[in-house]
Amino acid sequence: MQAKDSNPPDGGYGWVVVVSAFIVMGLTVAVLKTFGLFFVEIQQHFDELASTTSWITSVTIAVFHLGAPVASSLCVQYTHRTVVITGGFLAFSGMALGFFGLNMVWMYATTGFLQGLGISFSWTPAISIVSHYFSKKRALANAIASAGECAFAFMFGPFFQWLISQYGWEGSLLIIGGIQLNICVCGVLMRPLASSCLPEASHCETETPPANGASRRDKEDKSPIMHKTLNWMLVRQTEFVLYAIFGILAAMSFFVPPLFLVPLSYSLGIDESWTASLLSILAMVDFGGRLLCGWYANLHVTKTIHLLAITITLISTSLMLLPLANNYLSLAIFTGFYGFFFGTTVAIHITVLADVVGMPEFDSALGLFMLIRSTGGFVGPPLAGLIVDMAGDYRAGFYMAGATLVLSAGFLIILDQLQQRKKRGSKIRTQPEKSTLPYPSLDILKHQ
């Protein structure tokens, strides 16, 4: 039975899991991406500064990232199904309690902390279990699951705007919380497999049997948990540190445009109904960017880290140009450019991480990367809000995001140069050995 379970089904019920993960992506990250629609409403209700209000999103993003390693550990101890269901209840609680809107601290604790923890406990195991169900079709399955974020964000823009107009921002939070209870239904459908970490189990079969005579089954049972333990020694690797710094700077920028896009459109006098459509455009071109860049990356025409540096540069350029918009059409065009290039970046940045650390350390690297990157997501929105308050213009937030992305691209270039230098060094060390082996030494020739 164990041998049978060690191979992922690669289909069958796995597609039910993919559809469930697709919905979970939509009810978590898509809600976070469209929360900018509530920004002005909450700011006006509490009569607070933009920097103060932006801490709601900042807390959500930070807890989302910080909770990822915890969620992964709970998946090992219990099941993915249990953690996803727990995440659904936490997300609902955060939105439902936010309905009361007592004060800003209350909003930080509910729609900030509880919602972020719910997203983390839902998103992390949903992405993980898809990889357990698929091996050969894993890339396709993950692409379909992650597309739920874009598909739901496309619909949530106008839908949330309608909810706010009909029920106010407090009632809208309660309704959205009720919708997020469907995460629990999706969690129930995520049936656990017999082996808690199938890909690692199949990897263990290729290893040499231990000298003490332990069975391969024992190794399969032990190695998944060993593999999921975070390797903190990665923080001593220069390549990983450089990529982690890139992640921090990128996270500082990525969550700023969706947060201030709606207030910027209002400041330009654009109607609310048209403003909501901007978020739909953002989601649609994001979806296209992910698919196109994923397809292009698989052709291996361009090195992935080079491709990532290019997309980051294009995102920063689009953010620098976006504030030049003075009407709906120009704003929609620049928003489309930003959304497309953002999608291309999301499609490959995890692949680059795997290239940097190698697959044996990838699980640990991913957990640590999200943990470290959370500092950028926590600092970015409040910093942009502070700059907006000082400048008195929402455009300043986009300039800040674009400049930070330019800086992050610099660390990618440094990382690439370091990798190339090490590669050249390894070739130089091995070349003399290869050149001298086929030929006899001079001493031997003299004796002959």
Side-chain angles (χ1 to χ4, degrees):
M1 289 300 292
Q2 183 68 20
K4 181 179 178 180
D5 290 336
S6 64
N7 297 318
D10 239 341
Y13 191 81
W15 294 114
V16 177
V17 175
V18 169
V19 173
S20 300
F22 178 92
I23 298 173
V24 170
M25 297 301 106
L27 296 179
T28 54
V29 182
V31 172
L32 177 60
K33 291 178 68 174
T34 52
F35 196 77
L37 289 167
F38 294 88
F39 184 87
V40 174
E41 301 290 335
I42 296 175
Q43 181 183 11
Q44 293 178 350
H45 178 81
F46 292 105
D47 192 22
E48 294 285 355
L49 297 174
S51 56
T52 304
T53 308
S54 62
W55 275 104
I56 299 175
T57 302
S58 179
V59 172
T60 307
I61 296 169
V63 175
F64 168 36
H65 287 82
L66 291 171
V70 179
S72 298
S73 300
L74 291 175
C75 288
V76 176
Q77 297 179 22
Y78 303 100
T79 62
H80 295 82
R81 169 188 283 173
T82 303
V83 181
V84 171
I85 293 174
T86 303
F89 279 115
L90 288 171
F92 161 74
S93 301
M95 285 295 191
L97 292 174
F99 161 79
F100 296 100
L102 301 180
N103 49 51
M104 287 304 297
V105 176
W106 178 264
M107 299 304 296
Y108 297 155
T110 56
T111 56
F113 180 82
L114 284 179
Q115 178 69 197
L117 196 61
I119 291 175
S120 183
F121 278 32
S122 304
W123 184 89
T124 307
I127 284 291
S128 175
I129 195 171
V130 170
S131 296
H132 295 329
Y133 265 92
F134 290 86
S135 178
K136 296 179 181 179
K137 301 177 181 177
R138 185 175 299 157
L140 175 62
N142 282 323
I144 295 174
S146 65
E149 171 188 337
C150 304
F152 276 75
F154 177 79
M155 298 181 294
F156 279 169
F159 177 59
F160 285 2
Q161 189 69 62
W162 177 81
L163 283 178
I164 294 172
S165 64
Q166 295 293 318
Y167 304 101
W169 68 268
E170 300 98 327
S172 300
L173 291 181
L174 183 61
I175 294 173
I176 294 170
I179 295 174
Q180 286 182 310
L181 279 175
N182 287 285
I183 295 174
C184 301
V185 179
C186 296
V188 172
L189 294 175
M190 293 179 180
R191 187 171 64 196
L193 291 166
S195 178
S196 61
C197 202
L198 295 175
E200 288 78 9
S202 61
H203 171 75
C204 293
E205 292 178 0
T206 62
E207 298 179 357
T208 305
N212 59 6
S215 67
R216 186 171 62 185
R217 177 175 179 177
D218 293 337
K219 290 185 65 182
E220 290 176 351
D221 290 340
K222 294 177 182 178
S223 57
I225 296 180
M226 292 291 292
H227 194 77
K228 280 186 173 289
T229 303
L230 289 179
N231 181 12
W232 294 96
M233 300 302 292
L234 284 170
V235 297
R236 294 187 177 183
Q237 295 185 10
T238 306
E239 293 93 333
F240 176 77
V241 171
L242 288 172
Y243 197 71
I245 295 174
F246 154 76
I248 294 173
L249 295 173
M252 287 179 63
S253 307
F254 283 163
F255 296 99
V256 171
L259 185 62
F260 292 114
L261 183 61
V262 172
L264 176 62
S265 65
Y266 287 162
S267 67
L268 296 175
I270 299 175
D271 185 75
E272 292 183 358
S273 58
W274 288 103
T275 297
S277 67
L278 291 174
L279 297 178
S280 297
I281 293 173
L282 191 64
M284 182 173 59
V285 294
D286 181 0
F287 179 79
R290 295 186 191 209
L291 294 181
L292 183 60
C293 189
W295 167 79
Y296 180 77
N298 285 334
L299 298 178
H300 302 289
V301 177
T302 307
K303 193 176 178 182
T304 51
I305 191 170
H306 294 167
L307 186 59
L308 181 60
I310 292 171
T311 58
I312 288 293
T313 304
L314 291 173
I315 291 178
S316 62
T317 302
S318 63
L319 287 177
M320 292 292 190
L321 295 175
L322 192 146
L324 301 178
N326 54 11
N327 53 47
Y328 173 79
L329 180 60
S330 57
L331 188 60
I333 292 174
F334 288 126
T335 299
F337 278 116
Y338 162 74
F340 179 82
F341 294 129
F342 176 81
T344 59
T345 300
V346 173
I348 60 172
H349 80 287
I350 295 299
T351 303
V352 175
L353 176 62
D355 294 339
V356 169
V357 301
M359 286 308 299
E361 298 292 345
F362 175 69
D363 289 335
S364 293
L366 182 58
L368 284 174
F369 180 73
M370 291 194 65
L371 187 67
I372 297 171
R373 193 179 66 172
S374 64
T375 57
F378 186 73
V379 173
L383 178 60
L386 179 61
I387 294 174
V388 167
D389 291 334
M390 295 173 60
D393 191 343
Y394 287 108
R395 293 179 175 88
F398 292 90
Y399 289 131
M400 169 264 179
T404 307
L405 281 176
V406 172
L407 183 60
S408 71
F411 282 93
L412 289 178
I413 295 174
I414 295 173
L415 172 60
D416 180 55
Q417 292 297 319
L418 178 62
Q419 288 181 322
Q420 290 185 15
R421 190 181 306 133
K422 285 190 173 183
K423 188 175 182 180
R424 288 193 298 265
S426 62
K427 287 183 178 179
I428 293 174
R429 286 192 298 270
T430 56
Q431 189 173 2
E433 298 176 2
K434 293 181 179 179
S435 61
T436 56
L437 284 176
Y439 304 101
S441 65
L442 293 176
D443 294 336
I444 296 176
L445 290 175
K446 288 179 180 179
H447 286 86
Q448 290 177 345

